[in-house]
Amino acid sequence: MNATEQNKTVDETSNWALTVRLLKFSWQYKFRCIQVLSYQLIMLFMGLSGLGLTGLGIDFLRYQVVPDTGPPKWPFGLAPPADLEPLSVIMGIAVTILGFALFRSCLNYLYTMSMGKLIYVDIVATLRALVFEKMQKLSFRFFDANASGTIINRVASDVGSLRRFMEGVFIQSFIMILSLVV
């Protein structure tokens, strides 16, 4: 094995170890993480329900125009009464879709607030405190060897990288996997 292959293996191992370490760190806030992921799961269900109801409305309209196509399949066997006007049925479906959309927008607000609290209040603040605590234990030789601007830049960069990992990788990866499963 040559030096390039060894460096690649070491980088992959250290990246995996770092990812596991970040996941363990973020799992300290498991209640907030579960809350954020639950909001996302409910929003996904609401979005899919809206799409399903749109298809149901299209199927109902098609059945009204071309009766040979057969009646639509109503979810959970909840068909409207036969004597109800077709426009009333379509309006009922539209109002239900609108209700789902409004509920989803409220959940999106709660999701955004919970995500912000998880990332900015819980994780970033704790990480900054831990970094500051670690820096207080370093020797004066370290501070003499490194410029204060470099140290501050490195700390801010590392904390920002963790924040971006949580927002852009951890949560989004789970949401994508959840969406694909559903």
Side-chain angles (χ1 to χ4, degrees):
M1 185 185 286
N2 62 25
T4 306
E5 291 174 350
Q6 284 179 334
N7 286 340
K8 186 177 178 183
T9 304
V10 169
D11 287 345
E12 289 174 359
T13 304
S14 64
N15 285 341
W16 179 250
L18 182 60
T19 303
V20 169
R21 192 170 172 195
L22 287 173
L23 289 174
K24 285 180 183 177
F25 177 75
S26 63
W27 196 244
Q28 293 175 4
Y29 306 101
K30 58 184 153 258
F31 174 74
R32 179 96 46 214
C33 289
I34 290 171
Q35 183 183 27
V36 164
L37 295 174
S38 297
Y39 284 142
Q40 194 58 244
L41 179 66
I42 295 169
M43 285 192 314
L44 178 64
F45 174 74
M46 289 288 142
L48 291 176
S49 297
L51 286 174
L53 286 173
T54 302
L56 179 66
I58 291 170
D59 289 345
F60 181 77
L61 283 175
R62 187 183 64 183
Y63 175 66
Q64 294 300 313
V65 174
V66 184
D68 295 339
T69 58
K73 294 185 173 119
W74 295 92
F76 310 113
L78 299 173
D83 61 341
L84 199 61
E85 291 289 322
L87 184 59
S88 299
V89 174
I90 292 297
M91 290 301 291
I93 292 172
V95 167
T96 305
I97 292 171
L98 180 63
F100 279 176
L102 289 173
F103 184 65
R104 188 169 190 255
S105 67
C106 291
L107 281 176
N108 193 27
Y109 172 78
L110 292 173
Y111 165 77
T112 303
M113 296 303 288
S114 293
M115 180 73 147
K117 195 169 188 180
L118 171 68
I119 299 296
Y120 295 103
V121 175
D122 293 339
I123 292 178
V124 170
T126 302
L127 187 63
R128 284 182 180 157
L130 289 171
V131 169
F132 182 72
E133 182 181 320
K134 176 71 174 178
M135 287 180 64
Q136 285 182 324
K137 295 177 182 176
L138 295 174
S139 68
F140 286 113
R141 189 173 24 179
F142 172 80
F143 293 102
D144 289 339
N146 297 295
S148 60
T150 305
I151 296 170
I152 292 170
N153 189 24
R154 176 69 189 265
V155 167
S157 173
D158 289 350
V159 171
S161 295
L162 177 67
R163 180 190 56 80
R164 286 187 296 278
F165 169 78
M166 288 300 296
E167 283 179 326
V169 177
F170 177 63
I171 299 291
Q172 296 303 322
S173 297
F174 186 81
I175 290 167
M176 184 174 294
I177 290 168
L178 185 66
S179 299
L180 291 173
V181 168
V182 171

